Amino acid sequence: MKALSQSFYMKDGITLAKDLLGQVIVREEAGKSYYFKIVETEAYMGAEDKGAHVYGNKKTKRTAPLFEIGGTTYIYLIYGMYYCLNISANQIDVPHCVLIRAVEPMDDEAINYAKQNRSIRSKKLVDLTNGPGKLCKALKIDKSLNDHLVTNKGALWIGEGQRQQQSQIVEAKRINIPYAEEYQDMLWRFYIKDNPFVSVINKSKA
């Protein structure tokens, strides 16, 4: 599988969030590769976006990866226990990004890898990776992979999958950002229509 090129990420966060649907996160460990299709994303639009960590163009040691060139990972901890994976978009110093909200294991090896890393009581396969914290646990994604280019093959990279047609993309409100005021109503969450691994199904216009 070929890694997506740097040019793929040189676009605004909303466009990248849509274009990442159907692409493949590859997690490499101990000489093996595990493949997961991206099925749900959220766009964060930088300085203007009240839901973004960089609202007001706030640059800190924590958020510095968002100001790097598109294709850089930004991984942070929520609730003191769950990691979230974001991919920067656009040019240097334009801190747009995309939160990866859900992925689908692409084969039995990926399923077994996810189960090994994330032991759950549920017998539903979808519960392994149908949320941002869940998928990071299942793929062993933590701060050690922060500020890392996914354009280069290695421990974590993104490969070419199948770009989705607009008719297959559902647009919905982002999740759990009440502090974002009017920006919480933006339809900046995107997911593949009818995919069972999506974290929250919404009836917004597809």
Side-chain angles (χ1 to χ4, degrees):
M1 181 179 291
K2 184 178 180 181
L4 292 169
S5 68
Q6 187 79 68
S7 62
F8 180 88
Y9 301 92
M10 305 304 289
K11 59 192 69 167
D12 68 85
I14 292 171
T15 303
L16 182 61
K18 294 179 182 180
D19 287 351
L20 278 170
L21 294 174
Q23 309 305 328
V24 180
I25 290 180
V26 185
R27 183 70 170 95
E28 295 188 2
E29 187 179 26
K32 292 186 176 181
S33 299
Y34 305 95
Y35 301 91
F36 299 84
K37 181 169 72 173
I38 299 171
V39 301
E40 182 182 1
T41 59
E42 281 183 352
Y44 287 86
M45 296 298 289
E48 70 175 53
D49 183 357
K50 293 181 180 178
H53 290 178
V54 294
Y55 173 58
N57 216 38
K58 183 180 180 181
K59 185 176 182 179
T60 64
K61 183 177 180 180
R62 179 196 189 199
T63 63
L66 295 177
F67 291 83
E68 298 295 333
I69 198 164
T72 302
T73 58
Y74 170 52
I75 298 168
Y76 60 86
L77 194 65
I78 58 171
Y79 310 130
M81 58 192 302
Y82 301 114
Y83 289 102
C84 291
L85 170 65
N86 298 258
I87 308 297
S88 70
N90 225 312
Q91 304 173 37
I92 291 176
D93 290 331
V94 182
H96 294 187
C97 76
V98 177
L99 170 66
I100 308 300
R101 279 201 57 89
V103 298
E104 176 182 355
M106 295 183 69
D107 54 29
D108 288 342
E109 286 192 347
I111 291 170
N112 291 335
Y113 180 72
K115 286 182 175 179
Q116 174 186 322
N117 296 327
R118 185 167 184 269
S119 178
I120 59 175
R121 294 181 180 180
S122 173
K123 296 185 182 299
K124 295 180 180 180
L125 182 61
V126 296
D127 288 336
L128 277 173
T129 56
N130 64 346
K134 293 178 181 181
L135 76 88
C136 282
K137 181 73 171 178
L139 275 65
K140 290 181 70 173
I141 294 172
D142 58 23
K143 290 283 283 186
S144 69
L145 295 169
N146 187 47
D147 200 7
H148 164 96
L149 277 172
V150 294
T151 54
N152 301 324
K153 291 188 176 182
L156 180 69
W157 54 281
I158 298 181
E160 289 186 357
Q162 184 174 4
R163 188 174 296 188
Q164 303 299 296
Q165 297 295 320
Q166 183 61 40
S167 61
Q168 293 302 306
I169 297 176
V170 178
E171 302 179 357
K173 294 180 182 180
R174 294 176 294 182
I175 305 296
N176 295 332
I177 54 167
Y179 53 84
E181 299 178 352
E182 71 273 20
Y183 279 82
Q184 70 179 307
D185 295 322
M186 298 295 186
L187 301 182
W188 289 351
R189 180 167 69 97
F190 308 98
Y191 61 84
I192 298 176
K193 185 178 181 180
D194 299 327
N195 187 284
F197 283 82
V198 171
S199 65
V200 179
I201 301 298
N202 188 282
K203 294 182 179 180
S204 294
K205 184 179 178 181

